[in-house]
Amino acid sequence: MATAGRLLLILALIGAVYGLCASLYGARSGAREWVDSGRRAMYSVALIAVVAFVILDVAFITSDFSYDIVASGSSTTTPLAYRAAAVWSTQQGSLLLWVMLMSLWASLALFVTRRRVREIVPYAQATMFAFTIFFAGLCVLFANPFATNDAHLTEGAGLDPLLRHVTMLMHPPMVYSGYTLLLVPFSFGVGALLANRVGAEWLQVTRRFALAAWLCLGIGIMLGARWSYTELGWGGYWAWDPVENAALMPWLCATAFIHSMMIQEKRGMLKVWNASLVLATGCLAIVGTFLVRSGILSSIHAFVSDPTLNVSFVSLISVMVIGSIALVVFRRDSLRTEARLDSLLSREAVFLFQNLVLVALAAVIFWITFFPLISEAITGTEVSVGPPAFRPFVVPLALIVVLLSGIGPIIAWRRVTAARLRRNFAFPVAVGTTTLVVLAVATDATAHLLAWVMFGCAAFAIATVGQELARGTRARAAMTGAAAPVALLGLVRRNRRRYGGYIVHLGFALAMIGVAASTSFQHQRYAFLRPGQSAQVDGYTVRYVRPTVSATAQRLSFGAVLDVTRGGRHVTTMQTSYGLYPAQDPMHPIGRFFNGSQESEVALDSGPLRDIWAVIHPNVTPLQGLIARGDQLVSRLLLQVSSLPASQQPAELNLAYALRDQLIRVLAQRFVTHPWASQFLFEVSPLVMWLWVGAIVAALGGLIALPPLRPVRRRAGAARRLASAVDAQDLAAGGKAPQPAGLVSPERELV
Amino acid sequence: MDPSRKRAIRLTVALTAALLLASALVYTSFAAGRDELTASQLLARARPGQTYILAGTVLDGSVHWDGNVLMFRVRDPKLDVSVPVRYTGVVPDPFAPGRGVLVDVREGGPSGFIGEANTLTTKCPSKYQAASGSY
Amino acid sequence: MAGYLLVLAVVGFAVYIVSAPLRSARARRRTAPDGLLESVAELEAARDAKYLEITDAELDLRTGKLSPDDHRSLDRALRAEAIEILHRLDAARARAAADER
């Protein structure tokens, strides 16, 4: 089946090349059948990629170690779910996942648009084929996932224990879905510019894909943050690591694009901005993919560098950047705006300002992330600026974003009067101000001024969402006579885009509360404790009750039971452990069980007001002497067994391994019977739960905003009735005549 | 006010803000940045009292604990040179011989370099590998 | 053997569906040039966006973001823009239909 998989990959590449040529030929000649054939070629490539992926995944699930990447990335002792997911822990498998997702999302986009934007689709199609060709080409030429060996292995190297976490099952597919979905609006943007059809229609057909990309990438980022918090043993969820930033930058630009596209749809403004933004976002998606596997920047996540892939990616990014700039410059006349900003007191102005801030955020993160390379290019030395460099810029910009997320919903399009503004702002400003005052008086929040201001801004944003939902529900209830909960559901259902967006803002504000509190008011404490000893952290007393140990052939675990009290009252009992996985080191049959990969099992007591977090970092130095003696003993025994007749060896080997396992258990048990001091890291983080709650709420809002609008034909009929109800003479008179009677009201269509 | 004048003012304000942000960013980066040095560069440039970022790979066989102090050597990526480091603090889970590391260090006399507490970061030990070229 | 059969099946299916438009007689039926259809589609998109603006303005009135006076003048302007789009749409559709004939 490996050969079949490789053949399918080659066929996918051939199909993509055909699709590219057919699309371009159809575009230039106007022969629609070639464009349709190209679209179907994308469907075929998607099918082929799925089959190839399934073949590879089955190899992982069945532990077929004749595949090189199965042997290096999985083992028979890896749990089933992780075996299935291990395919994307490898370079080759992750590239195949990219091809599959790219072709699937492209197929969906082309299916949805098969009767629309007909002049744009061929070029968009060709662009998506170009990406498919690139990644399929990498798989075929440089990173073959179906490479095999003749070693007849019965066991593999295993999946890295750090990746054996439930969030890691979905983190890469979500991030890759985000990246590949971002290439759909990118491709349609390229198509619109090439076809010189730069009106709002290309935005309308790609809006859902931009929103889906934003949603998937956001979920992927949060899954990664959760993994960091609960698995990596350093106590944080965000380290401003280059690989983390690589996903954040396109997400920020996608957030800006989702807002700015509304302005072009409604007012015909910001055409240059939207075209540039969507092209930049697509470029950043590829940059993100490149960063993770390039090794060009020091990162705890960055993986082994492959020069061949680096050259390919840099070439692709260069073509994308130069091509994007050239397209926008070439079409600058067509991109001229149709309207102007009426007033700074308008939703357009707020969206525009928000866009500028989000792009500024992305630019700051880009500069600081790539600064080591920039400095090396300028000064010859790689200079690191570290995570603290982000704070002076990111925090104020984030404050502005939160503030604007509260202002946007309560300000109308085009223009709003000062009096109306005062009326709409009164309640949210009161809530925000009250929050600041209460926190200043009742807590020590002002010790961290920026965090205190963030709490106020977030309270303001939450209040605006509440106000909007309340007013909309009241209006609908008044019209329909429904009870409030029913009216609320109806309101959201009939205005998904608007209220889905408001719910996203609510989630974002909640998340920022969690971030501000947990970063500014966190208490951390390192301590070396023996059983019975205690440490103090933020008013909590953490007592090391007793050590724990477990020993199997796959994993050793040294842990601790911790008892947490506050003011003499019991708060919680937690358990943390430190896992050791055996290394492949035949010279040390005992020692390899103590010197292999490690991973922490975090003890976490999570609550709405605070998280208590603890890890243990035991070192096995006190056992080194005994381990060395054990190595000698077992090595001698294995040598003796190897000199026996072949018929006797299996039984004697089993005995030798049983002795080895017994020795390991006895050694590990000394952690309990003769415990020594272990290093602990304790952490109390206030309100961090709201980061995760906010992320879930924001994702829910994104899902609500995602489904398609109601069928446009119904709205078209209503629009005609609306428009035709205005008297032509009324228009000729400059709109001075009173509103005609019998005007069809859109109320029932709206609320 | 004339709309075109309004637009000009808005554009000027926006560009000025962007320029200020960019200037602050560039200045902060160069002022606050610290050189990432390999083992050979550190041996050549290290001065007492200064802190540097040491980047390299943990030398196989060099890792051991002295009580609560982790001792290891960091190998230069290109030259056959390594420097000893004495480190106290949290050791990241991925830390192991052969892994890439970054650690803040200062000169510690004859014993080598002293790692600043809780500054040790380690590259993730993914299975991503260079293509073997055999099919 | 199973692998090769799978590959053959997939290839056969792909060739069949990819070549279908090229073999289909329906592809040879004359339709209006894409340029005209594109103009109609663009105007339909503009019409839908204008309708959305009108409904959004109504919602802004009901939720207090716009005063009745502000809404009245905005609504008037939007409906005027909608009429113009509808006129242009009718003309584009007529041109497309004439060209098809």
Side-chain angles (χ1 to χ4, degrees):
Chain A
M1 289 302 264
T3 310
R6 174 137 177 86
L7 279 173
L8 286 171
L9 265 184
I10 294 171
L11 285 166
L13 181 60
I14 294 172
V17 172
Y18 166 80
L20 174 72
C21 298
S23 306
L24 288 175
Y25 177 72
R28 302 307 296 171
S29 66
R32 283 227 59 83
E33 59 269 23
W34 284 97
V35 178
D36 293 340
S37 178
R39 187 181 73 247
R40 285 160 175 254
M42 185 61 85
Y43 300 163
S44 304
V45 168
L47 172 68
I48 291 169
V50 167
V51 173
F53 189 85
V54 167
I55 290 173
L56 190 61
D57 216 16
V58 167
F60 270 89
I61 290 170
T62 57
S63 297
D64 185 347
F65 300 118
S66 64
Y67 290 68
D68 285 348
I69 63 171
V70 178
S72 64
S74 185
S75 65
T76 57
T77 57
T78 304
L80 174 62
Y82 295 110
R83 287 208 303 276
V87 63
W88 50 73
S89 75
T90 64
Q91 173 88 286
Q92 300 89 330
S94 68
L95 287 172
L96 179 57
L97 176 67
W98 229 100
V99 174
M100 184 181 76
L101 290 172
M102 181 76 236
S103 55
L104 282 172
W105 298 129
S107 297
L108 181 62
L110 294 174
F111 178 77
V112 165
T113 57
R114 65 195 183 283
R115 294 195 190 97
R116 301 182 66 182
V117 288
R118 287 180 162 217
E119 288 197 359
I120 296 175
V121 160
Y123 295 108
Q125 196 167 281
T127 307
M128 287 186 277
F129 272 122
F131 287 116
T132 309
I133 289 167
F134 177 81
F135 283 93
L138 289 181
C139 286
V140 169
L141 298 173
F142 305 121
N144 176 27
F146 296 101
T148 54
N149 61 75
D150 297 324
H152 301 291
L153 298 168
T154 56
E155 188 56 279
L159 182 66
D160 189 280
L162 288 175
L163 301 179
R164 297 189 196 192
H165 191 274
V166 64
T167 55
M168 285 294 112
L169 291 175
M170 283 311 296
H171 165 74
M174 294 307 285
V175 172
Y176 288 179
S177 290
Y179 287 155
T180 49
L181 280 163
L182 278 176
L183 294 181
V184 171
F186 175 92
S187 301
F188 275 83
V190 168
L193 289 166
L194 285 173
N196 202 16
R197 292 285 180 192
V198 294
E201 210 199 350
W202 75 271
L203 289 175
Q204 283 187 351
V205 300
T206 58
R207 182 176 67 82
R208 295 179 198 96
F209 293 94
L211 188 51
W214 175 90
L215 188 60
C216 289
L217 199 50
I219 291 172
I221 289 170
M222 292 314 300
L223 286 174
R226 183 71 186 176
W227 171 73
S228 179
Y229 185 62
T230 56
E231 182 68 17
L232 284 189
W234 67 286
Y237 45 79
W238 193 264
W240 292 111
D241 189 85
V243 167
E244 294 171 337
N245 299 340
L248 183 61
M249 288 184 285
W251 184 84
L252 289 170
C253 290
T255 307
F257 180 62
I258 286 164
H259 289 84
S260 66
M261 64 163 52
M262 279 193 255
I263 301 179
Q264 184 174 340
E265 283 177 324
K266 286 181 180 302
R267 303 294 314 281
M269 295 164 57
L270 301 186
K271 287 183 181 177
V272 173
W273 178 262
N274 278 325
S276 305
L277 193 54
V278 78
L279 296 178
T281 307
C283 293
L284 285 171
I286 299 296
V287 167
T289 307
F290 165 60
L291 256 188
V292 171
R293 60 195 73 238
S294 69
I296 60 169
L297 287 169
S298 299
S299 160
I300 65 166
H301 296 84
F303 306 122
V304 175
S305 169
D306 184 336
T308 317
L309 293 191
N310 287 0
V311 169
S312 307
F313 270 100
V314 169
S315 305
L316 174 64
I317 292 167
S318 304
V319 167
M320 288 175 73
V321 170
I322 294 169
S324 300
I325 294 170
L327 272 175
V328 172
V329 169
F330 182 59
R331 291 297 187 203
R332 62 189 182 284
D333 290 335
S334 305
L335 291 169
R336 200 160 285 137
T337 189
E338 295 161 13
R340 300 287 177 197
L341 200 62
D342 292 322
S343 164
L344 286 180
L345 293 179
S346 65
R347 192 175 286 184
E348 295 94 306
V350 173
F351 274 26
L352 179 58
F353 190 32
Q354 173 245 46
N355 258 241
L356 293 173
V357 174
L358 284 169
V359 170
L361 252 177
V364 163
I365 295 169
F366 184 92
W367 172 267
I368 299 176
T369 301
F370 283 92
F371 189 70
L373 295 179
I374 296 169
S375 65
E376 192 175 19
I378 296 173
T379 66
T381 307
E382 204 169 299
V383 176
S384 173
V385 288
F390 290 89
R391 196 180 159 83
F393 300 96
V394 168
V395 175
L397 289 172
L399 273 173
I400 297 172
V401 171
V402 172
L403 198 59
L404 291 175
S405 75
I407 294 174
I410 55 174
I411 202 166
W413 293 100
R414 298 218 178 190
R415 191 195 308 269
V416 65
T417 58
R420 187 59 38 173
L421 215 55
R422 277 193 295 273
R423 182 177 177 275
N424 290 332
F425 272 71
F427 173 68
V429 167
V431 168
T433 311
T434 305
T435 302
L436 288 173
V437 169
V438 166
L439 287 175
V441 167
T443 72
D444 61 347
T446 50
H448 297 273
L449 266 179
L450 289 177
W452 176 64
V453 173
M454 177 62 86
F455 296 141
C457 292
F460 168 80
I462 293 169
T464 62
V465 174
Q467 178 178 274
E468 285 301 297
L469 288 171
R471 285 180 175 178
T473 303
R474 259 202 309 271
R476 182 162 175 85
M479 280 178 49
T480 62
V486 175
L488 175 61
L489 280 175
L491 176 76
V492 173
R493 193 174 60 83
R494 284 175 165 271
N495 299 278
R496 299 178 92 115
R497 188 174 177 180
R498 176 184 284 224
Y499 289 97
Y502 291 172
I503 293 169
V504 171
H505 287 193
L506 171 66
F508 183 65
L510 289 172
M512 287 299 103
I513 289 174
V515 168
S518 61
T519 52
S520 299
F521 299 96
Q522 183 190 76
H523 289 86
Q524 245 187 15
R525 172 77 193 275
Y526 299 98
F528 281 92
L529 301 176
R530 290 178 181 278
Q533 291 182 328
S534 306
Q536 303 287 327
V537 55
D538 193 28
Y540 292 90
T541 302
V542 186
R543 188 170 66 90
Y544 178 9
V545 177
R546 59 181 171 82
T548 62
V549 69
S550 80
T552 67
Q554 288 82 43
R555 183 174 183 265
L556 283 179
S557 167
F558 298 97
V561 175
L562 303 168
D563 189 67
V564 182
T565 56
R566 187 184 176 96
R569 282 188 306 108
H570 175 77
V571 173
T572 186
T573 301
M574 308 194 296
Q575 196 158 339
T576 175
S577 66
Y578 193 72
L580 295 166
Y581 293 80
Q584 294 195 345
D585 180 8
M587 299 301 294
H588 299 92
I590 300 287
R592 71 186 189 92
F593 284 84
F594 293 86
N595 297 325
S597 300
Q598 309 115 39
E599 52 102 17
S600 298
E601 292 291 334
V602 169
L604 183 62
D605 182 65
S606 201
L609 292 180
R610 54 91 194 119
D611 275 13
I612 302 174
W613 184 101
V615 290
I616 183 172
H617 287 280
N619 78 70
V620 296
T621 305
L623 294 176
Q624 288 299 345
L626 293 170
I627 291 171
R629 292 221 299 269
D631 280 337
Q632 288 172 0
L633 177 66
V634 175
S635 295
R636 233 181 2 246
L637 192 57
L638 290 173
L639 199 60
Q640 287 171 2
V641 169
S642 67
S643 63
L644 292 173
S647 57
Q648 292 179 17
Q649 280 187 16
E652 295 303 316
L653 262 178
N654 284 341
L655 285 173
Y657 286 138
L659 175 65
R660 178 203 65 185
D661 293 345
Q662 182 65 16
L663 278 174
I664 291 168
R665 278 193 290 275
V666 165
L667 285 171
Q669 198 62 25
R670 287 186 71 85
F671 185 68
V672 173
T673 57
H674 298 74
W676 54 90
S678 295
Q679 185 186 54
F680 289 86
L681 174 60
F682 301 121
E683 203 174 84
V684 177
S685 298
L687 303 180
V688 70
M689 178 196 258
W690 295 99
L691 167 62
W692 317 115
V693 170
I696 292 170
V697 170
L700 185 66
L703 281 171
I704 291 172
L706 191 55
L709 299 171
R710 284 175 296 162
V712 295
R713 286 192 198 88
R714 192 163 136 230
R715 285 181 172 262
R720 186 177 285 283
R721 289 197 300 278
L722 278 175
S724 63
V726 179
D727 188 54
Q729 285 180 342
D730 175 33
L731 284 176
K736 296 194 184 71
Q739 210 163 41
L743 179 67
V744 176
S745 169
E747 284 165 8
R748 290 199 181 275
E749 299 286 338
L750 298 168
V751 185
Chain B
M1 193 190 292
D2 176 32
S4 63
R5 186 169 158 73
K6 267 194 211 174
R7 280 196 298 276
I9 292 172
R10 287 173 196 162
L11 185 62
T12 306
V13 168
L15 285 176
T16 305
L19 196 62
L20 284 171
L21 178 66
S23 304
L25 195 56
V26 171
Y27 174 76
T28 311
S29 306
F30 281 101
R34 287 181 299 153
D35 294 353
E36 266 180 33
L37 302 179
T38 61
S40 57
Q41 289 171 332
L42 187 66
L43 287 171
R45 294 194 214 174
R47 280 195 293 266
Q50 293 263 53
T51 306
Y52 304 89
I53 301 175
L54 172 62
T57 310
V58 179
L59 192 65
D60 287 336
S62 69
V63 180
H64 63 275
W65 287 86
D66 180 9
N68 298 324
V69 178
L70 178 66
M71 322 270 281
F72 59 96
R73 295 186 76 91
V74 177
R75 181 167 55 82
D76 193 286
K78 290 181 184 142
L79 302 174
D80 189 18
V81 170
S82 65
V83 295
V85 177
R86 294 169 57 88
Y87 172 82
T88 50
V90 174
V91 178
D93 288 350
F95 180 86
R99 300 261 166 88
V101 293
L102 288 172
V103 59
D104 289 7
V105 297
R106 56 184 163 82
E107 266 211 341
S111 60
F113 292 88
I114 297 173
E116 300 288 332
N118 309 314
T119 61
L120 180 61
T121 59
T122 313
K123 273 198 180 182
C124 227
S126 162
K127 300 301 182 195
Y128 284 19
Q129 290 172 8
S132 63
S134 63
Y135 305 116
Chain C
M1 181 56 111
Y4 293 118
L5 285 174
L6 177 65
V7 172
L8 272 173
V10 169
V11 169
F13 179 72
V15 168
Y16 177 74
I17 69 165
V18 167
S19 61
L22 304 173
R23 292 182 279 111
S24 168
R26 203 167 61 169
R28 299 187 191 99
R29 186 178 62 207
R30 193 169 183 281
T31 57
D34 280 344
L36 281 175
L37 291 173
E38 205 73 7
S39 298
V40 168
E42 275 181 10
L43 288 166
E44 285 174 345
R47 174 204 63 195
D48 296 340
K50 196 56 60 183
Y51 180 72
L52 196 58
E53 276 200 78
I54 293 170
T55 56
D56 273 348
E58 180 71 22
L59 187 55
D60 284 349
L61 169 69
R62 295 208 165 265
T63 53
K65 282 196 277 291
L66 284 174
S67 66
D69 289 336
D70 288 340
H71 173 257
R72 194 173 299 118
S73 68
L74 178 62
D75 188 61
R76 201 179 285 274
L78 290 174
R79 288 176 187 221
E81 290 166 15
I83 282 187
E84 206 212 312
I85 292 171
L86 288 171
H87 287 162
R88 285 164 57 196
L89 181 57
D90 287 341
R93 278 182 176 151
R95 277 198 305 275
D99 203 79
E100 251 184 71
R101 280 195 295 274

